[in-house]
Amino acid sequence: MSLEPFATSRPLTMGVELELQIVNRHDYDLTPGSKDLLRVMKGVALPGDVTPEITDSMIELCTGVCDSYEQVLDQLTVTRDALVRSADKLNLGLSGGGTHPYQHWSKQRIFDKPRFQEISGLYGYLSKQFTVFGQHVHIGCEGPDQALRLLHGLSRFIPHLIALSASSPYVQGNDTGFHSARLNSVFAFPLSGRAPFLLTWDDFLVFFEKMTRTGVVKSMKDFYWDIRPKPEYGTIEVRVLDTPLTIEKASALAGLIQCLARWISQDQPFALAEDDYLPYTFNRFQACRFGLDGTFVDPKTGEHRSLREDLNVTLHALEPHAAALRAEPALRFIREEMRWQGNDATWARGVVEKEQLLNELVRQQCERWAGRAA
């Protein structure tokens, strides 16, 4: 099976996808409401789209192709508001967060769609455990070779993005000790992790042909890499972010990734090398476990510093690119969040410490997502 041609796209354009939790308004547990929600949403004019996800208690919203952080925020606002109005009609709640704090995977139902049923047949219980919620950000690329170079350049910042977006400290009623427990579920899939270090599309096509020859994969959708090419869109797709608790943060994270992409593409601040991946799994784990206080090992120098420290240096380097992209508000949001609470996982733990109820945490998450929080 051959890979489809790499489509033409405008460099540095963005598309954002957000997977959301659907909960009832009684005890705020997950509930199979996606079909009803999609029915109510039918015919509503949106700048992007709303689609089902692998289990009935999930739903995904996405933007169209956006040029700027502000456009992402505008589109997410329109779609969020329409979804919330529809959910209110059904007495349902919608929430961000990378995991639901106390749902049990065995109760989840696979959405009736051929690909989801195929995944369920292949991966068994892992499919229901995949009831986790992430943000995906697409970045438009000039061509396939440039896409691969950008993919490997952005890989250096995967830990930073994990730490900033982390919003999944609780799983099945327990504090996991992680800031992002969601990624532990993703890592269970055999084709997860990092993409192979290939810098030309010709070499990637050879790799893909070998993989399809084994029968292990049929399309790019079978790779659950942290970043993967999406040739049908002409993009790369960053997949490590937990779904934030607000559209404002989701938009800011997309703006940050756009700034990183421009910096890497134009300034080429570091040479790409296979050895850059030597500390990759360690850095990734540190971000999942400890958030911004995790240790970051510089792949070039071997120096150890906190992700917070390295991110502050990176944000300074991104300032001229943010100005060029009109993304200064996105970087300002990130800086303020780092000074205030660091990430949504820290906020969630603060709520639970005060309220002593995971149900109240989810209720407050629904209010934050709807834009109704005080």
Side-chain angles (χ1 to χ4, degrees):
M1 183 178 295
S2 61
L3 193 60
E4 53 198 292
F6 199 88
T8 301
S9 68
R10 300 196 310 278
L12 301 178
T13 50
M14 291 180 288
V16 175
E17 301 163 356
L18 293 169
E19 297 163 342
L20 299 179
Q21 306 177 30
I22 306 173
V23 302
N24 66 61
R25 289 288 189 178
H26 170 58
D27 63 2
Y28 288 90
D29 199 355
L30 291 181
T31 191
S34 59
K35 290 180 182 177
D36 287 337
L37 198 51
L38 289 167
R39 174 179 52 80
V40 175
M41 287 288 294
K42 191 174 182 180
V44 177
L46 300 171
D49 203 0
V50 175
T51 57
E53 256 300 334
I54 188 165
T55 63
D56 284 338
S57 53
M58 308 171 68
I59 200 159
E60 180 179 272
L61 66 93
C62 63
T63 68
V65 178
C66 299
D67 294 302
S68 66
Y69 151 80
E70 184 178 5
Q71 193 175 4
V72 169
L73 180 57
D74 288 345
Q75 291 199 13
L76 288 181
T77 301
V78 170
T79 304
R80 186 275 310 271
D81 290 349
L83 264 173
V84 168
R85 286 193 298 270
S86 297
D88 286 345
K89 292 177 182 178
L90 296 166
N91 198 29
L92 297 173
L94 298 172
S95 173
T99 57
H100 185 278
Y102 48 92
Q103 66 94 12
H104 287 275
W105 63 266
S106 60
K107 297 179 180 178
Q108 302 310 315
R109 303 195 312 223
I110 302 298
F111 191 89
D112 188 15
K113 184 177 177 181
R115 173 164 172 78
F116 295 153
Q117 296 294 334
E118 181 182 346
I119 291 172
S120 178
L122 175 61
Y123 291 113
Y125 83 102
L126 290 178
S127 305
K128 292 186 177 182
Q129 285 202 336
F130 207 45
T131 306
V132 292
F133 309 85
Q135 173 178 354
H136 301 166
V137 178
H138 291 261
I139 298 292
C141 301
E142 184 179 348
D145 289 358
Q146 292 82 355
L148 290 175
R149 296 187 67 82
L150 179 58
L151 183 157
H152 293 296
L154 280 173
S155 290
R156 182 190 190 279
F157 300 99
I158 285 300
H160 307 67
L161 296 173
I162 291 171
L164 284 171
S165 68
S167 61
S168 52
Y170 297 101
V171 173
Q172 295 194 16
N174 297 294
D175 189 330
T176 64
F178 280 70
H179 282 235
S180 176
R182 163 186 163 269
L183 284 172
N184 293 330
S185 296
V186 178
F187 217 43
F189 284 75
L191 298 175
S192 61
R194 48 157 286 202
F197 188 72
L198 301 168
L199 296 178
T200 70
W201 196 246
D202 287 343
D203 287 342
F204 189 86
L205 290 174
V206 172
F207 163 80
F208 185 82
E209 182 182 352
K210 289 179 179 178
M211 290 298 294
T212 55
R213 197 183 310 144
T214 67
V216 174
V217 301
K218 296 179 181 178
S219 73
M220 283 302 304
K221 288 184 178 180
D222 295 317
F223 294 111
Y224 292 87
W225 295 332
D226 293 342
I227 312 179
R228 69 184 179 190
K230 290 290 285 184
E232 64 268 37
Y233 297 151
T235 67
I236 59 168
E237 179 188 15
V238 180
R239 299 168 47 81
V240 295
L241 293 85
D242 285 0
T243 298
L245 299 184
T246 66
I247 56 170
E248 289 78 13
K249 183 161 188 179
S251 303
L253 288 167
L256 171 62
I257 293 172
Q258 186 189 37
C259 292
L260 284 168
R262 189 177 193 271
W263 180 45
I264 291 166
S265 300
Q266 295 195 2
D267 293 2
Q268 299 179 3
F270 42 83
L272 302 176
E274 172 72 50
D275 283 356
D276 291 346
Y277 283 104
L278 292 175
Y280 182 84
T281 305
F282 175 85
N283 287 340
R284 190 182 187 277
F285 168 79
Q286 286 283 316
C288 290
R289 175 69 174 85
F290 302 109
L292 291 166
D293 295 322
T295 299
F296 175 73
V297 179
D298 190 303
K300 295 297 184 186
T301 67
E303 179 186 353
H304 288 218
R305 51 186 173 269
S306 74
L307 281 162
R308 189 186 303 273
E309 290 170 332
D310 196 72
L311 188 55
N312 280 324
V313 173
T314 301
L315 290 172
H316 179 73
L318 293 179
E319 287 176 357
H321 299 280
L325 294 166
R326 305 190 308 281
E328 296 103 325
L331 297 198
R332 187 161 55 248
F333 185 102
I334 297 295
R335 283 193 170 102
E336 290 174 358
E337 186 96 335
M338 289 172 65
R339 282 195 293 267
W340 175 44
Q341 63 188 19
N343 58 32
D344 288 333
T346 302
W347 174 85
R349 285 191 169 110
V351 172
V352 173
E353 182 180 3
K354 178 182 178 182
E355 304 291 347
Q356 298 295 307
L357 283 172
L358 290 175
N359 313 66
E360 175 60 16
L361 169 62
V362 180
R363 188 195 71 80
Q364 290 193 30
Q365 286 182 181
C366 290
E367 293 302 293
R368 290 191 73 187
W369 178 258
R372 296 192 285 241

